[in-house]
């Protein structure tokens, strides 16, 4: 009923598609991991982060989470597709302190395999990044060459993700609307 209220874009059509290849997005083993092991993994991240360096003043949170979802897309033309997916994750934040200065860092590890959730590696990353920020100083405004680490670049791209939407381009809502087939970035960006 709601679809009747939204006008279809010119040339749009509802159709059935050939059978799609199955997607390997669901791992039933995640649900079989005992809750005690999941809790132990979160506690291990916290303990490891606290044990990295005496300057790690606190770990405000460390947690485990998993979740699953199911999607079905169907239409009156015979399209009827479903898929299930699930994930497992651990996350942690560490606060480093030196004198009056406090710096924090948060990160997570997401996977479809419980065994991939390496508590020591995640703790090392969050504690290390928090410690690395200690002693940072402001610089004078100016033009400088920079190197962005992958986390900074991911965050920057996340800010602008909407302009890369095919739907937005098709609707003329992005500067990329007439750029199909053209390079839109430096060739070193892949």
């Amino acid at each position: 009923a709601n679809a009747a209220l939204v006008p279809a874009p010119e040339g749009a059509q509802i159709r059935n598609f050939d059978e799609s290849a199955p997607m390997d997005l669901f791992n039933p083993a995640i649900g079989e991991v005992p809750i005690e092991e999941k809790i132990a993994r979160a506690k291990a991240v916290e303990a490891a982060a606290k044990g990295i360096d005496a300057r790690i003043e606190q770990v405000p949170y460390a947690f485990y989470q998993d979740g699953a979802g199911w999607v079905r897309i169907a239409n009156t033309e015979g399209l009827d597709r479903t898929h299930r997916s699930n994930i497992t994750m651990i996350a942690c934040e560490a606060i480093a302190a030196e004198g009056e200065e406090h710096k924090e860092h948060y990160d997570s590890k997401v996977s479809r395999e419980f065994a991939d959730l390496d508590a020591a590696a995640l703790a090392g990353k969050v504690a290390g990044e928090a410690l690395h920020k200690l002693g940072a100083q402001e610089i004078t405004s100016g033009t400088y060459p920079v190197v962005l680490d992958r986390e900074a670049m991911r965050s920057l791209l996340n800010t602008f993700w909407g302009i890369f939407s095919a739907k937005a381009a098709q609707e003329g809502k992005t500067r990329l609307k007439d750029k199909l087939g053209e390079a839109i970035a430096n060739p070193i960006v892949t």
Side-chain angles (χ1 to χ4, degrees):
N2 287 341
L5 300 175
V6 179
E10 188 176 321
Q13 55 181 301
I14 297 175
R15 56 179 274 222
N16 191 5
F17 295 90
D18 295 333
E19 192 64 36
S20 56
M23 296 183 287
D24 187 20
L25 302 176
F26 187 82
N27 179 1
I30 291 172
E32 297 167 6
V33 176
I35 191 70
E36 295 80 15
E37 284 187 47
K38 295 174 179 181
I39 292 169
R41 192 64 51 102
K43 288 180 175 181
V45 173
E46 178 184 24
K50 286 180 176 177
I52 298 271
D53 189 291
R55 295 172 294 169
I56 298 299
E57 186 175 73
Q58 61 177 296
V59 176
Y61 57 87
F63 65 87
Y64 170 88
Q65 178 179 339
D66 59 39
W70 181 81
V71 174
R72 182 176 189 182
I73 301 174
N75 67 23
T76 57
E77 298 292 319
L79 174 69
D80 192 0
R81 300 286 190 275
T82 62
H83 82 269
R84 295 189 314 166
S85 64
N86 64 350
I87 61 156
T88 182
M89 72 176 283
I90 53 175
C92 182
E93 179 182 25
I95 298 176
E98 196 164 52
E100 296 297 312
E101 183 181 20
H102 292 78
K103 299 293 181 181
E104 60 83 26
H105 189 76
Y106 163 87
D107 208 340
S108 62
K109 170 66 177 172
V110 179
S111 181
R112 287 198 170 81
E113 296 288 341
F114 183 79
D116 290 346
L117 305 181
D118 186 334
L122 180 62
K125 185 173 183 182
V126 296
E129 289 293 328
L131 291 164
H132 180 71
K133 294 174 185 177
L134 291 173
Q137 298 176 351
E138 290 186 22
I139 60 172
T140 306
S141 294
T143 302
Y144 300 97
V146 297
V147 175
L148 299 174
D149 76 0
R150 65 176 169 228
E151 296 298 322
M153 191 65 201
R154 181 177 58 102
S155 179
L156 185 61
L157 285 175
N158 189 46
T159 302
F160 298 104
W161 74 268
I163 68 167
F164 301 114
S165 160
K167 182 175 187 276
Q170 291 167 348
E171 294 173 350
K173 296 178 180 176
T174 170
R175 294 177 140 186
L176 301 178
K177 66 182 178 181
D178 299 319
K179 303 288 185 185
L180 184 63
E182 293 181 34
I184 59 167
N186 187 304
I188 66 170
V189 177
T190 60

